[in-house]
Amino acid sequence: MSLVIVGTVAFDALETPFGKTDKIVGGAATFAGLAASYLYDHVKLISVIGEDFGDNLEIIQSHSIDVEGVEIVKGGKTFFWSGKYHNDMNTRDTLITELNVLADFDPKIPASYQDCEYLLLGNLTPQVQIQTLSRLERKPKLVVLDTMNFWMDVAMDDLKEVLKKVDVLTINDAEARQLSGEYSLVKAADTILQMGPKYLIIKKGEHGALLFGEGQVFSAPALPLADVFDPTGAGDAFAGGFVGYLAKVKSVNFTNMKNAIIYGSALASFCVEEFGTQKLQNLSQADIQNRIRQFVALAKFEISE
Amino acid sequence: MSLVIVGTVAFDALETPFGKTDKIVGGAATFAGLAASYLYDHVKLISVIGEDFGDNLEIIQSHSIDVEGVEIVKGGKTFFWSGKYHNDMNTRDTLITELNVLADFDPKIPASYQDCEYLLLGNLTPQVQIQTLSRLERKPKLVVLDTMNFWMDVAMDDLKEVLKKVDVLTINDAEARQLSGEYSLVKAADTILQMGPKYLIIKKGEHGALLFGEGQVFSAPALPLADVFDPTGAGDAFAGGFVGYLAKVKSVNFTNMKNAIIYGSALASFCVEEFGTQKLQNLSQADIQNRIRQFVALAKFEISE
């Protein structure tokens, strides 16, 4: 049994109000995989990189993440993204996008990955997400889809096809409004849940997240942070922590989904505290449990009528 | 013992994407008083109106709210505000502001109000807030201050004087950033709590509210609503529900503050469901308890390590 994550493994170059980096390791699958690895032992990645990625794969492998499904293209160059965050850290400009080997990504699923029980379709072209799903011999127990406004702009039809085949969708509030055409998030959720997913998670960054499904709603807080150093990968770390927790507890229901969102939020809160994957590379189980306790304290109230 | 609320009693004319109204009853003290009246029996208002307000005071009096401190200026005209909400309901344009009798408001405190134990200084010029405080013979057990960016723009020095004398400040996130000069709400709270208040509540509208104080943080959810009909008065209803709950339970500490925020949020969530004060005029205790239960379900999760 395993948790398979499909997504980018990439180089990023970042500029934030706190500093800038040269090319560092990034990518949706990297962030999600690292986050999930703290909660579940059998995490397996599907991605594509160029030869230039060199021994950076060790960052991932050192977390006991299986990289057999990460194709290395001889002479190819790894996907590269460069961005600059504004002072509010909520908006950013893309400076450079070099697709490189990602342009022809044809996801290959090693035989050893066919035990996939939990599948995270990380933010990527819907075409690759569909291909991955169709190449699995058994339908996984849970399929989680992460996507973004870009794919709604350029590949809405493909995205709607994927939506029919997934259990959980995670997007942000602006994307929920765009996908549904509804301003109210309650109405947006109603519309989106008719497109396929049984559960919808609306990520609201510093405002937390909402979970809709089974006729219920859950509001998860975000931990107020003194410093947000680099928001890159927070959404991916959230998705990885979310599905990693569900793989660990082996049971999918609204109660576990709520806890999974808290774990996802905790991993995301670590992610933004340093540049790139730095913080996610060096957590202890005690760090994570302490942060979970902070979330519990943050949200807890007791009203006796 | 009583809860005294100082603020405007006004006429509003509103336009939202759902319709428009002629002059209807509004004002910070009206919304806050109505909200508080569901939780506490001894609510007393201090305000000023013109003769044109006529028998509209009955809307307030019918909730057993004491209006002895509401001065009626002979031949005067009541404060009038007219505004138009944009499609997102989060931003609005002020179309008309006629201060009228509010321009010379000199708050008078009836002898029967000197039993004031809980004081809400509703959104109003800081000058009037200071005067009210100075005219009370005894310092109240709890002073809650509501204010807005407008007073930070035009009367920051006066506002800082009031801040030194209050226990709780309620403002929104943009205002917390403006008042503190800090973007991070954690840093903003640190700065503001050094200006005087022991507790800071940051209202985030559809994203809930944060409470800072006693070295702790609490994140309260907002109830996701299918329709927000008219946001006018939501912040006032929140403040009224908040202080009304504390007056009822008679004990001020972080635990009770958290519950007070949930009650304030519940009252605010009703407020926005109809135009003006309409919904706040006609609630039952069962309505309120049902909504509180919705908030409990919305925020509850249990993680067993």
Side-chain angles (χ1 to χ4, degrees):
Chain A
M1 297 302 111
S2 64
L3 160 56
V4 173
I5 297 173
V6 194
T8 54
V9 171
F11 283 127
D12 289 345
L14 308 167
E15 196 174 330
T16 80
F18 301 102
K20 57 191 288 185
T21 67
D22 287 331
K23 280 188 179 182
I24 56 173
V25 170
T30 310
F31 285 103
L34 289 173
S37 73
Y38 289 100
L39 304 170
Y40 188 64
D41 284 335
H42 309 289
V43 179
K44 303 176 178 184
L45 296 200
I46 296 176
S47 193
V48 64
I49 53 178
E51 241 183 315
D52 60 340
F53 205 69
D55 53 14
N56 283 304
L57 257 189
E58 272 169 31
I59 291 175
I60 297 169
Q61 286 173 294
S62 68
H63 278 73
S64 304
I65 297 169
D66 193 334
V67 296
E68 194 190 339
V70 179
E71 184 188 1
I72 303 170
V73 178
K74 285 247 162 173
K77 281 185 74 184
T78 302
F79 171 50
F80 173 60
W81 177 81
S82 171
K84 179 177 175 169
Y85 288 88
H86 299 178
N87 278 333
D88 67 2
M89 292 297 242
N90 284 321
T91 49
R92 67 185 186 191
D93 294 327
T94 289
L95 303 176
I96 304 169
T97 306
E98 293 174 4
L99 286 180
N100 298 328
V101 296
L102 195 65
D104 303 310
F105 182 29
D106 184 33
K108 294 175 191 63
I109 304 185
S112 66
Y113 281 38
Q114 291 294 352
D115 65 351
C116 169
E117 215 175 3
Y118 293 82
L119 176 65
L120 172 58
L121 299 169
N123 179 26
L124 203 67
T125 159
Q127 196 75 45
V128 170
Q129 294 174 322
I130 293 174
Q131 281 167 342
T132 306
L133 261 177
S134 69
R135 290 170 187 178
L136 284 170
E137 290 159 11
R138 271 183 324 142
K139 190 184 181 313
K141 189 164 153 184
L142 189 81
V143 181
V144 178
L145 175 73
D146 192 28
T147 189
M148 68 185 294
N149 54 349
F150 180 74
W151 306 115
M152 296 176 195
D153 293 337
V154 304
M156 186 62 113
D157 288 346
D158 286 348
L159 180 59
K160 286 188 173 168
E161 275 311 300
V162 197
L163 278 173
K164 289 181 191 160
K165 300 175 201 297
V166 306
D167 303 294
V168 184
L169 170 65
T170 77
I171 45 180
N172 72 28
D173 38 2
E175 290 157 354
R177 286 172 172 138
Q178 180 175 355
L179 182 59
S180 65
E182 293 282 359
Y183 186 80
S184 151
L185 295 181
V186 173
K187 291 183 180 172
D190 282 347
T191 302
I192 292 168
L193 291 177
Q194 284 172 18
M195 294 177 169
K198 285 188 278 295
Y199 302 93
L200 169 67
I201 296 169
I202 299 180
K203 300 174 286 185
K204 302 193 297 175
E206 65 160 334
H207 301 303
L210 293 171
L211 167 66
F212 294 89
E214 300 184 17
Q216 300 181 67
V217 197
F218 171 59
S219 173
L223 194 69
L225 295 170
D227 293 299
V228 171
F229 203 77
D230 171 17
T232 311
D236 309 309
F238 174 88
F242 172 79
V243 69
Y245 177 84
L246 289 174
K248 173 186 166 186
V249 298
K250 292 189 175 59
S251 167
V252 175
N253 55 46
F254 201 80
T255 300
N256 287 342
M257 289 256 173
K258 293 198 288 187
N259 291 351
I261 286 179
I262 299 297
Y263 273 87
S265 303
L267 268 312
S269 75
F270 284 122
C271 182
V272 303
E273 289 183 330
E274 291 185 26
F275 265 126
T277 58
Q278 222 163 329
K279 188 89 179 195
L280 284 187
Q281 288 177 52
N282 299 301
L283 295 173
S284 69
Q285 290 298 330
D287 291 334
I288 294 171
Q289 289 312 317
N290 283 337
R291 185 131 305 180
I292 292 293
R293 266 180 231 117
Q294 283 183 277
F295 273 86
V296 171
L298 180 66
K300 195 174 183 179
F301 63 92
E302 274 170 79
I303 289 180
S304 51
E305 288 169 31
Chain B
M1 296 302 111
S2 64
L3 160 56
V4 173
I5 298 173
V6 195
T8 54
V9 171
F11 283 126
D12 290 344
L14 309 166
E15 196 174 332
T16 81
F18 301 103
K20 58 192 288 185
T21 68
D22 287 332
K23 280 190 179 182
I24 56 173
V25 170
T30 311
F31 285 103
L34 289 174
S37 74
Y38 289 100
L39 302 170
Y40 188 64
D41 284 335
H42 310 288
V43 178
K44 304 177 178 182
L45 296 201
I46 296 176
S47 192
V48 63
I49 53 179
E51 240 181 318
D52 60 341
F53 205 69
D55 54 14
N56 283 304
L57 257 189
E58 272 169 32
I59 290 174
I60 297 168
Q61 287 174 295
S62 67
H63 278 73
S64 304
I65 298 169
D66 194 333
V67 295
E68 194 189 338
V70 178
E71 185 188 1
I72 302 169
V73 178
K74 285 248 163 171
K77 281 185 74 185
T78 302
F79 171 50
F80 173 59
W81 177 80
S82 172
K84 180 178 175 170
Y85 289 88
H86 300 176
N87 279 331
D88 66 3
M89 293 298 241
N90 284 322
T91 49
R92 67 185 186 190
D93 294 326
T94 289
L95 303 176
I96 303 170
T97 305
E98 293 175 3
L99 284 180
N100 298 328
V101 296
L102 196 64
D104 302 311
F105 182 27
D106 184 33
K108 292 172 192 64
I109 304 185
S112 67
Y113 281 38
Q114 292 292 352
D115 66 351
C116 169
E117 213 175 6
Y118 292 84
L119 176 65
L120 171 58
L121 299 169
N123 179 28
L124 204 65
T125 159
Q127 196 73 46
V128 170
Q129 294 174 323
I130 292 174
Q131 281 167 343
T132 306
L133 261 176
S134 69
R135 290 170 188 179
L136 284 170
E137 289 158 11
R138 270 185 323 141
K139 189 184 182 314
K141 189 164 153 185
L142 188 81
V143 181
V144 178
L145 176 72
D146 192 28
T147 189
M148 69 184 295
N149 55 349
F150 180 75
W151 306 115
M152 297 176 194
D153 294 337
V154 305
M156 185 63 113
D157 289 346
D158 286 347
L159 180 58
K160 286 187 173 168
E161 275 312 300
V162 197
L163 278 173
K164 288 181 192 159
K165 300 174 200 299
V166 306
D167 302 294
V168 184
L169 170 65
T170 77
I171 45 180
N172 72 28
D173 39 1
E175 290 156 355
R177 287 171 172 140
Q178 181 176 354
L179 181 59
S180 65
E182 293 282 357
Y183 186 81
S184 152
L185 295 181
V186 174
K187 290 183 181 172
D190 282 348
T191 303
I192 292 168
L193 291 176
Q194 284 171 19
M195 294 178 170
K198 286 188 277 296
Y199 301 94
L200 169 67
I201 296 170
I202 298 180
K203 300 173 287 185
K204 302 194 298 175
E206 64 160 335
H207 301 302
L210 293 171
L211 167 66
F212 293 89
E214 300 185 18
Q216 299 180 67
V217 196
F218 171 59
S219 173
L223 193 67
L225 295 170
D227 293 300
V228 171
F229 202 78
D230 171 18
T232 311
D236 308 309
F238 174 87
F242 172 79
V243 70
Y245 178 86
L246 290 173
K248 173 186 164 185
V249 298
K250 291 188 175 59
S251 167
V252 174
N253 55 46
F254 201 80
T255 300
N256 287 342
M257 289 257 173
K258 293 199 288 187
N259 291 351
I261 286 179
I262 299 298
Y263 272 86
S265 303
L267 268 311
S269 75
F270 284 122
C271 183
V272 303
E273 289 184 329
E274 291 185 26
F275 265 127
T277 58
Q278 221 162 331
K279 187 90 180 194
L280 284 186
Q281 288 178 51
N282 299 298
L283 295 173
S284 69
Q285 290 297 330
D287 291 335
I288 293 170
Q289 289 312 317
N290 282 336
R291 185 130 307 179
I292 293 293
R293 265 180 230 117
Q294 283 182 279
F295 273 86
V296 171
L298 181 66
K300 195 174 183 180
F301 64 92
E302 274 171 77
I303 289 181
S304 51
E305 287 169 34

